[in-house]
Amino acid sequence: MPGKTTELSLSGGSGKREGLLPPHKLSAMYEETTEATKSPTTTIRLLACANGVGLTISSIMTAVLSVLNNQISILDIVVIIISAWVGIFALFLESNLALVHTIRSTITHGVPICGHVTWRGGIYTIAGLLNFAILEPLHIVVGLFSTGVGIYMIKIGKKAGEHLVTLRTSITDEKALLKAFMRHDENGDGYLQQEEFESLMLSLGVELDRDELDAIFFQIDVDNDKNIVYDEFRSWWKQTTSETRVTLS
């Protein structure tokens, strides 16, 4: 396409070039994704807290009944100790109560993996599976609940982690950015049409609604030929990610 502009000036000019995706928005998106790897949603926190209560209560009840019946095995002791420990651990790490903030900070600082959703999910899953070793209704119910919550937390933590890696790579690695652009140039003509641009943004870890995608595409496409070249996209992307790159450096 002759006359296609390959450099994009992002300062001044028409309203079309104004910051429809300002740097602070992508920076906030990156921070939210980072936070998602460390802290689940309120609903998941509540489920994890309920799991903590269930594990703690089941361990206390098992200990009391074992003492009263004068029957306790090594397996019972192991399940009681681990369930109680993980239950209290969950209450401290998942609760938003001001009283536990200091304790939570101490735990995550001393054991960094405890600050990640995926690892906490793994701990809850192990505690849940251990409860199946005691074939009693209470332990089976608690085991199922703890295992379910744990597996779900592993899933959402892993997804957030993958999203974070994708977003970080797209911001810091220009070679990866070029490869992504070329990969989404389906017909190999050196240009991206609007549908190809939308799939590119998703692959870079940037989730936007239809209006934002349309506005950004036409912001980059300065000569209105409904195509964008890599230099145009790279110039826009550098400005958009400028604040986040400073954070990462």
Side-chain angles (χ1 to χ4, degrees):
M1 295 183 186
K4 179 67 179 175
T5 304
T6 58
E7 292 296 335
L8 176 62
S9 173
L10 289 160
S11 58
S14 65
K16 180 180 181 178
R17 300 177 189 175
E18 292 175 1
L20 297 175
L21 184 61
H24 67 79
K25 181 166 184 176
L26 190 63
S27 180
M29 190 181 298
Y30 185 87
E31 289 173 3
E32 287 172 6
T33 305
T34 302
E35 183 62 22
T37 67
K38 300 177 181 179
S39 178
T41 63
T42 300
T43 300
I44 302 302
R45 275 185 175 276
L46 290 173
L47 289 173
C49 284
N51 176 48
V53 172
L55 288 169
T56 304
I57 290 175
S58 68
S59 63
I60 293 172
M61 289 183 65
T62 300
V64 171
L65 290 174
S66 296
V67 170
L68 291 177
N69 295 328
N70 199 27
Q71 291 181 337
I72 188 166
S73 66
I74 297 297
L75 179 61
D76 290 337
I77 293 173
V78 171
V79 174
I80 288 169
I81 292 173
I82 293 178
S83 293
W85 180 81
V86 174
I88 295 170
F89 168 90
L91 291 172
F92 282 134
L93 287 180
E94 311 299 347
S95 173
N96 277 328
L97 295 176
L99 294 174
V100 303
H101 283 178
T102 301
I103 298 174
R104 180 166 64 239
S105 297
T106 301
I107 294 173
T108 56
H109 179 74
V111 188
I113 62 172
C114 293
H116 295 274
V117 173
T118 303
W119 284 96
R120 297 207 301 275
I123 292 170
Y124 302 153
T125 301
I126 292 171
L129 293 173
L130 275 174
N131 271 267
F132 292 130
I134 300 179
L135 298 178
E136 294 178 2
L138 176 61
H139 285 280
I140 292 174
V141 170
V142 170
L144 285 171
F145 188 76
S146 184
T147 302
V149 170
I151 290 174
Y152 188 63
M153 287 182 68
I154 291 172
K155 182 179 178 180
I156 62 174
K158 183 178 179 181
K159 183 178 180 181
E162 290 172 349
H163 186 189
L164 183 64
V165 169
T166 299
L167 191 55
R168 182 189 294 122
T169 301
S170 68
I171 292 170
T172 60
D173 189 341
E174 191 165 321
K175 288 183 179 179
L177 186 67
L178 176 58
K179 287 181 180 178
F181 186 95
M182 294 173 65
R183 187 168 61 250
H184 288 83
D185 176 18
E186 295 178 358
N187 56 11
D189 60 1
Y191 306 115
L192 290 189
Q193 284 73 48
Q194 193 164 356
E195 294 78 11
E196 294 170 327
F197 172 73
E198 292 172 9
S199 63
L200 170 63
M201 294 301 288
L202 280 175
S203 76
L204 296 178
V206 180
E207 298 179 5
L208 303 168
D209 61 35
R210 169 64 62 179
D211 290 339
E212 288 175 317
L213 285 166
D214 289 347
I216 291 167
F217 182 85
F218 290 111
Q219 172 195 358
I220 300 172
D221 179 26
V222 290
D223 55 5
N224 297 311
D225 64 354
K226 297 183 179 179
N227 293 281
I228 59 175
V229 295
Y230 177 67
D231 285 345
E232 289 178 331
F233 175 72
R234 178 174 57 85
S235 297
W236 171 80
W237 183 250
K238 278 189 172 182
Q239 187 200 39
T240 299
T241 60
S242 59
E243 185 175 305
T244 312
R245 284 201 308 274
V246 170
T247 302
L248 293 174
S249 61

